[in-house]
Structure formats: structure tokens, C-alpha cells
Amino acid sequence: MCTLLFFLTENRNKEIGKLLRLLGRKNQDWDEVLPSALWALRTTKNTATGHSSFELVYGREDQQPYDIAIRTIENAGKSYDEILMEKFVRHYQWTREACENVKNANKYWATRREEQISMKKGKELKAGDLVLVRNFSRTKLEPYYNGPFKILKIQFNTATLIDQKTGKQLDRNVHFKNLVKFNSAYREA
């Protein structure tokens, strides 16, 4: 965690340095240009999140003098209650959109974690091992896993299995995330 924070801080400092060089004159007036550079960084939308730092901290977009002037022209003739209701609806829509974005990001990272875990599991398994296969069509009293099955062959993140009792090969390969290494001690208990 500490390394990540260090990296993010260094990255932000690099961005500030670039802006100071762009806006200022050769290390002479950096202290005068710094507030403008920081404001530009804080109000620029991030491509990954789609929101600026200012927006994430304060929950709304920043207000430039031009924006305030336009809003007063747009809101001319509306009652205060109508303006508040429109703001409420816009904020509600923004909140729903932000929640949906977070939900999608969480799904993405959960899937990535699951894939990484299943890849690690695949490194633990090898041909000849006995495994149990997750039972997706189980009812209330049926076991969570079927087996044991013997691994015949491993391809990338799937395994070809043979039924121990019948000696028949399963119709299709099974993904590692649906396999559990068989432990005979658990079966006998």
C-alpha cells in the first residue's frame, strides 16, 4: 500500500512539474503559477473515472465565472423550488451513474481476482491428481461436489478428467475454478 501511494504521489508531482514548466517562465514565477496549475489538475476530468478530483471530493462540478453567468441566464424565470428540484434530479442521476460505475468496476476486479486464483490453483494441479468437480445442478440435499475424478491432461486453465468409477472421459474440459483437490481423509469421515 505504501509503495502504491508513493507511486501515485510521484506521478502527481510529475504532472504538477509539467504544468509549471508549461505555464511559468524558467523557474522564476512558479509560486505565482502554482495555484492555477493545481486548479487545472483538480478540475480536469480523469479518463479512467470520467470525473475530476474536485467532483469526487465535493460531489459536483467546479463553477467557473462563465458557468455561473450562463446558469443565471438559463434559470431566468424559474422559481427557486424548480431550480432546486432540477439540481436534485441531476445529482440523483449522477449518483446512480457513479454507483453503477463502481458496481461495474467491482465486478471487473472480482472476476480478475477469481481468474488469478483459478490460475494459481491450476499450478497446484497436475496430471494424475484426483479432484472433485463443483455440482451446479445440485438440489438441497445433494453434495456440493461430484467425484473423485482423475486429471488426464491440463490445457491452460482447464483439465480433461476421467471418472474413477467408470473409466470414462468427461464430455468436456472443466475450468480450474470448478475443481477442488480431492482429499481421501475428508471422504472417509
Side-chain angles (χ1 to χ4, degrees):
M1 182 69 171
C2 193
T3 308
L4 177 64
L5 290 174
F6 175 75
F7 171 76
L8 292 174
T9 304
E10 286 298 313
N11 194 21
R12 196 60 155 183
N13 288 343
K14 197 183 311 178
E15 290 176 16
I16 293 170
K18 284 180 189 175
L19 268 176
L20 289 176
R21 283 189 290 280
L22 183 70
L23 298 174
R25 282 176 279 135
K26 201 78 170 184
N27 298 331
Q28 293 175 357
D29 57 356
W30 68 268
D31 55 334
E32 295 170 11
V33 179
L34 184 62
S36 300
L38 291 175
W39 182 256
L41 277 175
R42 291 175 184 145
T43 57
T44 303
K45 289 194 184 247
N46 185 323
T47 54
T49 62
H51 301 287
S52 66
S53 302
F54 185 95
E55 215 173 331
L56 295 174
V57 171
Y58 297 106
R60 62 178 175 82
E61 291 184 9
D62 63 312
Q63 294 183 352
Q64 300 289 336
Y66 172 78
D67 296 331
I68 294 169
I70 290 296
R71 275 196 205 108
T72 54
I73 292 169
E74 288 174 352
N75 293 334
K78 291 183 183 176
S79 72
Y80 184 68
D81 291 340
E82 289 173 324
I83 294 169
L84 281 178
M85 187 54 92
E86 286 175 4
K87 283 183 179 181
F88 174 76
V89 168
R90 275 197 310 270
H91 181 70
Y92 176 75
Q93 290 168 343
W94 180 86
T95 306
R96 296 280 301 196
E97 183 182 312
C99 288
E100 195 62 36
N101 289 343
V102 168
K103 214 184 292 182
N104 290 337
N106 286 343
K107 276 184 196 173
Y108 170 78
W109 287 110
T111 304
R112 283 284 303 269
R113 273 193 302 278
E114 191 175 294
E115 288 170 358
Q116 288 174 347
I117 290 168
S118 72
M119 294 311 241
K120 287 178 185 174
K121 189 188 289 186
K123 292 176 185 172
E124 297 170 2
L125 299 173
K126 56 188 176 294
D129 283 350
L130 293 177
V131 293
L132 298 173
V133 178
R134 183 180 292 164
N135 183 3
F136 287 104
S137 60
R138 80 184 265 301
T139 58
K140 191 173 184 178
L141 299 174
E142 289 180 339
Y144 288 100
Y145 292 93
N146 294 327
F149 297 96
K150 187 175 185 177
I151 297 178
L152 180 65
K153 188 169 74 174
I154 293 179
Q155 303 95 355
F156 187 56
N157 57 0
T158 61
T160 306
L161 303 176
I162 297 177
D163 190 348
Q164 281 291 100
K165 297 172 188 164
T166 63
K168 287 186 178 180
Q169 184 174 330
L170 293 184
D171 296 337
R172 57 191 171 98
N173 291 350
V174 180
H175 196 280
F176 290 148
K177 69 180 179 184
N178 299 321
L179 297 176
V180 174
K181 204 166 193 174
F182 176 70
N183 186 345
S184 59
Y186 292 133
R187 197 53 137 192
E188 293 170 4

